[in-house]
Amino acid sequence: MNTAQKLLVDVHTHVYLPRYAQLLRSRTTAPRILTRLSGPDNKPEERLVILDNEPSGGRPVGAQYWDRDEKLAFMDKHGIDISIVSSANPWLDFLPASTARSLANELNDDLESYCSTSPIIAETRRKRLYGFGLLPLVPEITTESLLDTVQQIAALPHLKGIIMGTRGVGKGLDDEALDPVWAAIEKAGLVVFLHPHYGVDSKQWGEKDNGHVLPLALGFPFETTIATTRLILSGVFDRFPALRMLLAHSGGALPQLSSRLASCIDHDPVVASRLKHDARYYLGRLYYDAVAYGSAELRFVSDVIARSDSYSSTAASADSHVAPKLGSAQMMWGTDHPFFPPLSNTEKWKSVVENLDAITGVKEWTQEEKDGVRGGNALSLFNL
Ligand code: 5CU
């Protein structure tokens, strides 16, 4: 592995670009940024309210959410060479179509200049910042607007993909209305980063006050699990075999549930007849961030990816002479910055260190595989 492939690359790191933060400040309902007076000297303090069940006073928000120097300082502190930055949830989901369209175009241009003017890593001539653009995925948007925005992103040299929530244009990502969008993204070679925001029905969380633990630890990954499963069942990955999709939080519960999913499909001939392969095959077509916080979980996901080719319905890839797939090659490290800041003034963020230690701790991975997950795989996937 050469020096470039030893770079530390963060594929899961967010921003509220200044233009978007300004929009949040102008709103009186969630998602919003409000100002309240706090502390003994009644100083104004900005607070973020984005989640459904967020206490009405929200949580502290500051420059680390929008200031590029803060992102670079965070990267320096943790030895991160390159970040592929994406807008944080809830993106444009709450806006009317015309506003969503113009704001998507403006935010994509803003992100391009955020990245293109970032410092260069001398030995490699790469920039330190790249980005995922945004589509105006809201009800009533025209397909033409979505396709124009895919073309805009594809033409911006530092944007390497598109971050996407799970709602599509109102009916989820398995909506056939999105087929032209998948086709355009596939053709442009952009990577879709699938990221949750809504979680699952909050009635499931009961009546005890468990803060944000249940929606974030379970609701977010379950949302990704459901959206990805619906994509598989809709045949999107059969119709668009070169579409590249990166799943947040290591694909949620899907790796653990994929054999059960395959069995349920087997017992439902109508659904089974829609798919070219066993469900487990499609898990090996996907990419996974390594934001799972534990070595056992990372190892498990890589094993599920590695076995996927044996579930292909085509003889060639099921052939026992073909070298087995290296599961770790489809996994890549991330931080979720600026979310999950440390609660005390520690030198490094616990959430960052934990996810790096998790990679180091996978005993079954070679050093080369670990270097791949830390950065080399992202350099390849995003063609950096
Ligand atoms: O803590 C949170 O609310 C979040 C969020 O909203 N989005 C995210 O990516 N991570 C954590």
Side-chain angles (χ1 to χ4, degrees), residues 127-140:
K127 288 274 164 47
R128 292 198 68 191
L129 298 172
Y130 294 88
F132 289 98
L134 277 178
L135 295 183
L137 282 164
V138 293
E140 287 170 31

Side-chain angles (χ1 to χ4, degrees), residues 100-170:
R101 182 189 174 157
S102 55
L103 193 58
N105 293 151
E106 289 165 348
L107 289 170
N108 289 332
D109 284 337
D110 290 350
L111 188 58
E112 172 62 22
S113 80
Y114 177 103
C115 300
S116 65
T117 57
S118 69
I120 287 177
I121 306 169
E123 327 77 268
T124 71
R125 284 196 268 147
R126 293 178 175 92
K127 288 274 164 47
R128 292 198 68 191
L129 298 172
Y130 294 88
F132 289 98
L134 277 178
L135 295 183
L137 282 164
V138 293
E140 287 170 31
I141 195 78
T142 61
T143 303
E144 193 194 359
S145 299
L146 293 170
L147 297 182
D148 285 350
T149 312
V150 173
Q151 293 319 319
Q152 181 210 13
I153 295 169
L156 294 171
H158 295 82
L159 300 195
K160 301 293 178 187
I162 295 172
I163 183 156
M164 213 179 258
T166 61
R167 292 229 160 146
V169 291

